[in-house]
Amino acid sequence: MKKLLSGVLLLALSVTLLAGCGSSAQAPTSTPSETATKEVEEVKITNAKNVASNYDCIVVDGSPEGISAAISAARNGLKTLLICQDEALGGLYTLGELNFIDVPESRDGTVLVDGIFKEFSDAVGGSGFDVTVAKNTFYDMVKAENNLTLRVNSKFQEPVMDGKTITGVKVQEEDGEKTYSAPYVVDATPDGDVCAAAGVPYTYAGEDIGERDREMGVTLIFRLSGVDWEKVTEYVSTPQDGASSAEGGVNGNLAWGYSKKGFAYEPKDASMRLRGFNIARQENGDVLINSLIIFDVDALDAGSRAQGIERGQKELPSIVEYVRKNCVGFENAELVDTAEQLYVRETRHMDCEKMLTIDDVLENRSQDDAICVTNYPVDVQATKTQTYGTVVGFPDQYEIGYGSLVPKDVEGLLIVGRSAGYRSLAAGSARIVPTGMACGQAAGVAVKVATDAKETPRALAGDASAIKKMQSLLKEQGANLTHTQTEEAIMDHWAYPGLKVIRSMGFADGGYDNNYKLDDTVTGPRFANMTNTVVKKSGLALEPRIAVNEETNNSEMLLALAKKVAALDGSTAPSDFAAAVQFLQARDILDATLSQKFADADATADAGSCYMLAARLYEYLLTLPDATELIAVDRLQEN
């Protein structure tokens, strides 16, 4: 989660091992729990027996994003139906118990997302909220809207279609199947289920950069009683073993740390990892722990998700025994239960009229059709083969355009949440709930504008006056659309065009400080990984791989590269450095600038030169007959 590592950003281990999603230098805002603990009673929701079947707008899913969209539509005078598939509202925040709020803030400390999200955040006391309080708060917010009808335990079954136009949805409720109709439907399901069923095209996970099999680990949050809060907070905020800063930190009812202890745990299930602990104290004194990462879960399969929860629950007795023996403050911890739902970070990415890109995010770009200003680290969480995960970069602030909420191929439909119109790397930043709630509020406003104009959501995307109306309404209703264009220092580097290409492939990591180390001398493994990945991303034969020694030089690197290119294009490989230079120049892989950078055979080029070389290699490989161009990978654009 963002804003979790106060005083620890320079400790790479703790950055990568924390169970949350990201980090910044300031701790999240929270309200300290009272010393006296108390139980919060959950308000149970029951469905009214007789409700209308026709509405102006239907929002599918009781996620925070869906709640925001439904409230927004209702406040704009639309007869709105909110279909909650669970027995309680709040989705990931409540049933998934992810109660650390990733508040988007610019580098000067300005909170970027206001509106309905802020109403909720203020009501629950900010990050680290009590889960039951959040359930009740969401319900109170929904009940307050006269134009809003809520159905709980209403399971989406399929869209009702008139050709390519959605006209409603079929759901399964306790007393049978129901059909609800509306000219506008908002898909607020985490996985874009309505869009997918309606025929909207999409990519899965990192498919748009050639990594469809990339499955970030899911998290099962668990609850412990008997944790000594005073000992925990003292431990995480006290320097350990003479270190210059503490391993973690504390803010009110939030604490984070135990990274080394978490990673040292050896799971019985090899497809799991314990990470550093994100800890949130609840009103009754229990704590929620976000640290258990589970791999090999197909998040689109209900059975696989259920098995993932079962596997986590089976592992937890061993985890509790371990933390009792090894973690200060947990000596008397007892397992209470786990979240009902897994925290899933990524599945589908729906094709929309505008796709947010990694460059949009990390270049802090504005959008002509802006409906949201936000930020968050581009956080690609751990996979089974990449234990630590990575942070591609950290923007100051960027805008999301309305076109990213308009799915292709289906009329009458909008989408909000992590499966909206974001390329997979961009989604590493845009997937957080506050951003989704801001987009949900925009979707409700968009339905209002479309209703008044008797237009489709898609028609609005190309109508400048409609966009202005949308933006004006959003501002009037508390949303923030003030964006400052921030120029990143790295963008002025001569090798930045090459970096952009490699970064868009998903293997250039700038971390929280956007330091891609372009001026550092490259190591052999770094060069080999860079060039081998370009070959792989081009869809060409990877084996045999490019291989060079740890301590390498320009001669060894260019000869190894030329040998691989020759194998791919069917030519004779050069045998010495001078011939390799000529060989690569003839294919425009080495241009005049790079020829100078690699001129000394015994020297070793810097990383910036190697990024440019790899980018030019990609351009050449795409000219070969069997190469494949990936939709989310940049083409080289030189200054």
Side-chain angles (χ1 to χ4, degrees):
M1 67 154 273
K2 183 173 183 267
K3 295 201 281 212
L4 192 62
L5 299 178
S6 177
V8 222
L9 285 179
L10 297 180
L11 298 179
L13 182 64
S14 61
V15 166
T16 54
L17 296 185
L18 278 171
C21 306
S23 148
S24 88
Q26 184 179 0
T29 303
S30 66
T31 302
S33 298
E34 298 175 4
T35 303
T37 60
K38 60 182 179 181
E39 289 284 352
V40 179
E41 184 177 352
E42 180 180 345
V43 177
K44 298 297 183 181
I45 307 172
T46 57
N47 287 329
K49 291 186 178 180
N50 297 304
V51 296
S53 58
N54 295 299
Y55 295 86
D56 298 321
C57 176
I58 296 173
V59 179
V60 180
D61 208 61
S63 61
E65 299 91 334
I67 294 166
S68 182
I71 290 173
S72 176
R75 288 180 181 177
N76 280 284
L78 302 173
K79 183 182 176 184
T80 304
L81 174 66
L82 174 58
I83 293 172
C84 177
Q85 302 190 83
D86 303 302
E87 64 180 5
L89 291 162
L92 179 60
Y93 269 178
T94 57
L95 302 178
E97 300 190 353
L98 185 71
N99 66 337
F100 274 74
I101 298 178
D102 301 312
V103 181
E105 282 189 7
S106 64
R107 290 172 192 154
D108 65 5
T110 301
V111 175
L112 298 171
V113 176
D114 289 326
I116 294 172
F117 161 72
K118 186 175 186 300
E119 294 175 30
F120 166 76
S121 179
D122 288 348
V124 297
S127 191
F129 55 79
D130 184 272
V131 168
T132 304
V133 169
K135 289 180 181 179
N136 294 343
T137 298
F138 278 132
Y139 186 36
D140 288 342
M141 293 174 71
V142 167
K143 284 192 303 179
E145 303 302 326
N146 293 329
N147 292 323
L148 182 51
T149 298
L150 170 65
R151 304 296 287 172
V152 294
N153 288 317
S154 184
K155 309 290 185 182
F156 169 73
Q157 300 297 300
E158 61 183 69
V160 179
M161 304 294 296
D162 181 5
K164 286 286 190 178
T165 300
I166 190 168
T167 62
V169 294
K170 290 183 180 179
V171 298
Q172 184 66 42
E173 296 185 348
E174 294 173 351
D175 56 349
E177 187 175 84
K178 302 287 181 64
T179 298
Y180 297 108
S181 301
Y184 302 100
V185 175
V186 179
D187 182 354
T189 63
D191 303 310
D193 293 335
V194 180
C195 287
V200 177
Y202 62 87
T203 58
Y204 180 80
E207 182 179 1
D208 58 352
I209 59 170
E211 298 180 7
R212 194 185 190 285
D213 59 348
R214 180 191 76 199
E215 294 184 347
M216 289 190 279
V218 301
T219 293
L220 180 63
I221 294 172
F222 55 95
R223 180 185 293 253
L224 300 178
S225 64
V227 174
D228 189 322
W229 188 249
E230 290 187 5
K231 290 177 70 174
V232 166
T233 57
E234 180 181 3
Y235 174 80
V236 298
S237 57
T238 302
Q240 306 294 321
D241 301 323
S244 60
S245 63
E247 185 188 59
V250 59
N251 183 23
N253 60 344
L254 304 178
W256 54 95
Y258 302 92
S259 296
K260 295 176 183 178
K261 297 292 186 183
F263 189 68
Y265 172 74
E266 296 182 5
K268 293 183 177 180
D269 185 329
S271 292
M272 290 186 187
R273 298 287 186 276
L274 197 63
R275 307 273 297 272
F277 303 169
N278 291 349
I279 313 165
R281 188 171 187 260
Q282 298 293 276
E283 291 294 332
N284 67 353
D286 291 347
V287 297
L288 299 177
I289 308 292
N290 174 355
S291 68
L292 177 58
I293 309 294
I294 304 173
F295 305 113
D296 295 335
V297 172
D298 179 356
L300 292 181
D301 181 84
S304 182
R305 291 198 306 271
Q307 289 175 2
I309 293 174
E310 290 176 5
R311 286 168 50 208
Q313 291 172 339
K314 184 177 180 180
E315 186 75 27
L316 276 167
S318 297
I319 292 173
V320 173
E321 180 182 2
Y322 172 82
V323 300
R324 290 181 68 163
K325 293 179 180 178
N326 295 280
C327 298
V328 174
F330 288 81
E331 294 83 357
N332 298 309
E334 297 287 347
L335 179 65
V336 178
D337 57 22
T338 67
E340 296 178 38
Q341 297 179 1
L342 293 170
Y343 170 21
V344 177
R345 296 172 173 86
E346 178 183 44
T347 53
R348 300 185 181 104
H349 302 287
M350 310 309 302
D351 285 355
C352 291
E353 289 298 308
K354 176 179 285 187
M355 298 299 292
L356 187 76
T357 70
I358 187 63
D359 293 339
D360 290 331
V361 171
L362 292 180
E363 293 183 357
N364 302 297
R365 291 178 181 172
S366 60
Q367 305 286 343
D368 291 339
D369 59 345
I371 47 81
C372 170
V373 180
T374 190
N375 82 340
Y376 188 68
V378 180
D379 177 32
V380 180
Q381 280 287 306
T383 67
K384 189 174 182 179
T385 57
Q386 189 178 8
T387 304
Y388 295 103
T390 188
V391 173
V392 180
F394 196 167
D396 177 43
Q397 54 184 285
Y398 61 91
E399 292 183 325
I400 295 175
Y402 168 69
S404 293
L405 311 186
V406 184
K408 289 187 174 180
D409 292 359
V410 177
E411 301 299 335
L413 186 59
L414 291 167
I415 181 169
V416 298
R418 61 173 169 80
S419 292
Y422 316 136
R423 293 297 181 206
S424 62
L425 286 176
S429 172
R431 65 183 169 85
I432 62 171
V433 171
T435 299
M437 291 185 72
C439 291
Q441 183 169 354
V445 167
V447 174
K448 166 63 175 175
V449 175
T451 300
D452 289 349
K454 296 182 172 58
E455 288 285 3
T456 66
R458 193 177 325 283
L460 300 187
D463 186 337
S465 64
I467 295 297
K468 287 182 180 178
K469 289 179 183 177
M470 213 180 297
Q471 292 169 335
S472 178
L473 281 172
L474 282 168
K475 292 175 184 177
E476 289 175 11
Q477 295 169 20
N480 171 48
L481 293 182
T482 300
H483 172 259
T484 300
Q485 182 65 54
T486 304
E487 185 80 5
E488 300 292 348
I490 193 70
M491 295 170 65
D492 295 326
H493 195 283
W494 76 270
Y496 182 65
L499 169 65
K500 283 178 61 173
V501 175
I502 305 309
R503 185 174 68 185
S504 73
M505 292 183 183
F507 65 101
D509 307 328
Y512 295 103
D513 57 357
N514 297 312
N515 183 3
Y516 296 90
K517 302 179 180 178
L518 297 185
D519 296 320
D520 289 3
T521 300
V522 76
T523 64
R526 189 177 182 189
F527 173 82
N529 179 58
M530 194 182 301
T531 47
N532 281 321
T533 303
V534 168
V535 173
K536 180 180 178 181
K537 298 282 186 174
S538 303
L540 299 173
L542 181 57
E543 302 297 340
R545 296 170 182 259
I546 296 168
V548 294
N549 294 316
E550 172 78 29
E551 298 294 330
T552 189
N553 59 30
N554 293 338
S555 177
E556 183 185 22
M557 289 191 294
L558 294 191
L559 276 168
L561 178 60
K563 180 179 179 181
K564 180 64 180 180
V565 172
L568 292 171
D569 68 11
S571 58
T572 301
S575 59
D576 59 34
F577 175 67
V581 169
Q582 292 180 350
F583 178 92
L584 295 171
Q585 286 174 335
R587 288 156 177 78
D588 206 25
I589 297 171
L590 275 182
D591 64 356
T593 300
L594 288 178
S595 294
Q596 289 292 324
K597 297 287 185 181
F598 285 89
D600 186 344
D602 296 324
T604 303
D606 59 29
S609 300
C610 292
Y611 277 125
M612 283 297 299
L613 182 70
R616 299 192 72 84
L617 170 65
Y618 181 63
E619 292 296 318
Y620 175 71
L621 294 180
L622 289 182
T623 69
L624 301 182
D626 296 328
T628 301
E629 182 177 357
L630 296 167
I631 59 175
V633 173
D634 282 342
R635 297 296 297 269
L636 185 61
Q637 297 176 355
E638 299 182 70
N639 292 334

